[in-house]
């Protein structure tokens, strides 16, 4: 018998892989891991050529179509390779030899995407270069190319905590969105995009499967040199079973999608996301400079909240280390900021509840009270 985890033992604020709903973990452990639908075999033992997996795969696609209102002229793929796979997959599928593409470089992940894409085409930066990522330049400063094969942006920058509060207007050029860390935390107008992709390990599952949503008219653009495993058209024809798919990961994705639907769908996730982020933003803003978030208010991420502790206008690394140590002692885990940024970062994905966030906010207030004089 599986020993059930207590809901309040620890709270995981990891940027990914991230917290999963407890009921999803319980069902996966008690049913999927042992005897899927009384079949006598685990999902992990299931053949991807079986009728069982074909049914699971199609049901998961249908769930995504329903929850995101995906138009019929888009294909839903379940691929491997994560964001890095799509950093290469996007240019190899959408741009021919000698082509160029426009990239909104708004943080670390879009920067990495552009660097990878530059191996295959000319990358034009839409936004002015900056020494520090703190927001998104006004559209009057954008440099869009009329002959770009596509325009690429990252809806939410996990490392820096910068989120697009809008979909960029780019005319008729196909728009590509890395939606990984904000996927299903708010509605997204799929019809405004040519490609939307998201790693599952933040909001909709565990690491190992990447959802790729592609408009039909973009399926026939792949270069001859595009590896088959990254080829959207080949994967669409095979229903993402060109190679052995991550069967277990698709199963977990299926369970999480059912959990999202059961709990009010993407609109409810959006409402919760706003409540959670506000709890932490309020603590930061009311701390009188003890906690500091450098991101411009309108571009602050709802799902990744980075902050530092200041002393004399500089980050107090000693006090930040104390914060992280005491947080862990209270069961508040994975709050350390990315190594390139430092400080702390709280990731508030869909499975993180308002109550979880209230507990973190309370700890932040208490830590502030206990350490204000030192600062």
């Amino acid at each position: 018998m599986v020993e059930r985890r207590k809901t309040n033992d620890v709270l995981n604020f990891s940027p990914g892989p991230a917290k999963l709903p407890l009921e999803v973990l319980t069902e996966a452990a008690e049913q999927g891991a042992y005897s899927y639908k009384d079949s006598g075999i685990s999902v992990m033992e299931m053949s991807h050529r079986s009728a069982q997996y074909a049914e699971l795969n199609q049901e998961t696609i249908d769930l995504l179509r329903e929850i995101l209102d995906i138009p019929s002229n888009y294909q839903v793929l379940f691929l491997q390779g994560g964001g890095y796979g799509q950093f290469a997959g996007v240019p190899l599928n959408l741009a021919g030899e000698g082509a160029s593409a426009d990239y909104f470089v708004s943080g670390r992940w879009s920067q990495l995407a552009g660097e990878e894409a530059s191996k295959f085409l000319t990358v034009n930066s839409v936004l002015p270069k900056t020494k520090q990522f703190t927001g998104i330049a006004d559209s009057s400063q954008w440099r869009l190319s009329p002959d770009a094969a596509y325009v690429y942006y990252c809806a939410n920058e996990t490392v820096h905590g910068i989120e697009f509060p809008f979909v960029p207007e780019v005319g008729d050029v196909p728009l590509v969105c890395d939606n990984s860390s904000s996927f299903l935390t708010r509605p997204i107008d799929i019809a405004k995009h040519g490609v939307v992709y998201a790693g599952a390990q933040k909001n909709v599952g565990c690491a190992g499967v990447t959802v790729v949503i592609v408009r039909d008219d973009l399926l026939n653009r792949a270069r001859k040199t595009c590896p088959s495993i990254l080829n959207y058209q080949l994967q669409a024809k095979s229903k993402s079973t060109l190679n052995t798919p991550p069967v277990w990961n698709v199963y977990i994705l299926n369970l999480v999608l059912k959990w999202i639907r059961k709990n009010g769908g993407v609109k409810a996730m959006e409402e919760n996301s706003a409540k959670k982020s506000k709890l932490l933003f309020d603590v930061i803003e009311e701390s009188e400079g003890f906690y500091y978030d450098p991101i411009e208010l309108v571009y602050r991420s709802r799902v990744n909240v980075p902050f530092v502790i200041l002393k004399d206008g500089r980050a107090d690394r000693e006090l930040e280390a104390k914060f992280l140590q005491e947080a862990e002692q209270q069961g508040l885990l994975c709050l350390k900021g990315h190594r390139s940024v430092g400080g702390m970062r709280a990731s508030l994905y869909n499975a993180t509840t308002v109550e979880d966030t209230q507990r973190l906010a309370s700890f932040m207030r208490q830590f502030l009270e206990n350490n204000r004089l030192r600062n």
Side-chain angles (χ1 to χ4, degrees):
M1 177 63 66
V2 176
E3 182 178 349
R4 297 199 178 197
R5 188 171 78 187
K6 295 179 181 178
T7 58
N8 59 351
D9 282 350
V10 297
L11 299 180
N12 179 9
F13 294 96
S14 170
K19 179 181 179 179
L20 286 165
L22 185 61
E23 65 185 77
V24 167
L25 290 174
T26 301
E27 181 173 349
E30 295 182 349
Q31 298 183 36
Y34 292 98
S35 181
Y36 178 68
K37 293 187 174 181
D38 298 321
S39 64
I41 65 170
S42 164
V43 171
M44 290 178 279
E45 303 168 307
M46 185 188 298
S47 169
H48 65 293
R49 304 297 182 195
S50 67
Q52 280 181 317
Y53 181 72
E55 180 183 9
L56 172 65
N57 188 58
Q58 188 59 54
E59 182 184 58
T60 310
I61 291 172
D62 293 342
L63 281 165
L64 265 173
R65 287 192 178 280
E66 174 190 340
I67 292 170
L68 276 179
D69 193 23
I70 299 173
S72 60
N73 63 321
Y74 285 76
Q75 298 296 316
V76 178
L77 312 178
F78 302 136
L79 306 185
Q80 297 168 71
Y84 266 98
Q86 292 311 305
F87 292 171
V90 167
L92 288 170
N93 276 280
L94 302 187
E97 299 286 347
S100 65
D102 290 347
Y103 275 67
F104 282 87
V105 178
S106 56
R108 177 175 174 80
W109 287 109
S110 52
Q111 186 175 52
L112 290 172
E115 290 173 359
E116 185 72 6
S118 68
K119 298 175 182 178
F120 310 105
L121 44 62
T122 299
V123 171
N124 303 315
S125 183
V126 176
L127 303 175
K129 288 187 178 180
T130 179
K131 292 182 179 179
Q132 184 178 5
F133 296 112
T134 59
I136 299 163
D138 184 79
S139 59
S140 63
Q141 300 181 56
W142 296 0
R143 297 187 296 270
L144 292 166
S145 310
D147 58 347
Y150 60 88
V151 179
Y152 181 104
Y153 78 109
C154 179
N156 183 81
E157 290 282 358
T158 314
V159 171
H160 290 91
I162 296 172
E163 184 172 19
F164 272 82
F166 55 85
V167 175
E169 292 291 341
V170 298
D172 295 330
V173 180
L175 183 61
V176 178
C177 177
D178 174 357
N179 200 228
S180 295
S181 50
S182 53
F183 193 54
L184 294 181
T185 66
R186 70 184 342 166
I188 179 172
D189 190 343
I190 299 295
K192 289 185 176 181
H193 298 79
V195 177
V196 174
Y197 73 83
Q201 69 274 10
K202 301 178 187 294
N203 284 297
V204 290
C206 55
V209 63
T210 305
V211 176
V212 181
I213 303 167
V214 190
R215 202 171 63 215
D216 286 345
D217 65 296
L218 300 177
L219 290 174
N220 61 352
R221 294 192 179 188
R223 299 184 190 186
K224 291 181 179 180
T225 54
C226 179
S228 297
I229 196 170
L230 293 176
N231 188 298
Y232 296 158
Q233 187 172 43
L234 294 179
Q235 290 285 12
K237 286 182 178 178
S238 69
K239 293 188 178 294
S240 304
T241 60
L242 184 67
N243 63 305
T244 304
V247 175
W248 176 261
N249 308 71
V250 174
Y251 167 65
I252 298 297
L253 170 60
N254 179 282
L255 295 184
V256 175
L257 291 174
K258 289 176 178 175
W259 175 84
I260 289 174
R261 184 175 64 179
K262 174 184 174 182
N263 285 278
V266 72
K267 287 297 293 182
M269 299 299 111
E270 181 181 34
E271 291 170 4
N272 285 338
S273 186
K275 292 176 184 177
K276 291 181 291 186
S277 56
K278 186 177 186 303
L279 284 168
L280 298 193
F281 291 148
D282 285 350
V283 175
I284 293 169
E285 294 306 308
E286 294 167 9
S287 72
E288 299 180 344
F290 183 88
Y291 297 118
Y292 175 66
D293 181 347
I295 307 306
E296 296 173 41
L297 188 61
V298 68
Y299 299 116
R300 285 184 179 178
S301 169
R302 301 162 301 115
V303 289
N304 302 108
V305 181
F307 58 97
V308 297
I309 296 176
L310 292 182
K311 180 180 182 181
D312 299 327
R314 299 173 63 88
D316 187 333
R317 299 308 186 197
E318 183 180 346
L319 200 52
E320 289 175 352
K322 182 182 179 183
F323 177 100
L324 292 169
Q325 181 182 33
E326 292 186 9
E328 187 167 342
Q329 289 171 352
Q330 294 197 27
L332 306 172
L333 306 184
C334 301
L335 286 166
K336 187 175 182 179
H338 190 272
R339 60 186 178 275
S340 66
V341 176
M344 284 71 67
R345 171 178 51 172
S347 295
L348 311 175
Y349 300 129
N350 281 340
T352 298
T353 66
V354 173
E355 291 72 27
D356 293 344
T357 314
Q358 286 173 332
R359 183 168 149 189
L360 173 57
S362 295
F363 168 76
M364 290 174 66
R365 292 185 191 279
Q366 188 61 56
F367 188 86
L368 165 63
E369 186 65 26
N370 294 342
N371 294 275
R372 186 193 297 272
L373 292 179
R374 170 182 169 175
N375 201 45

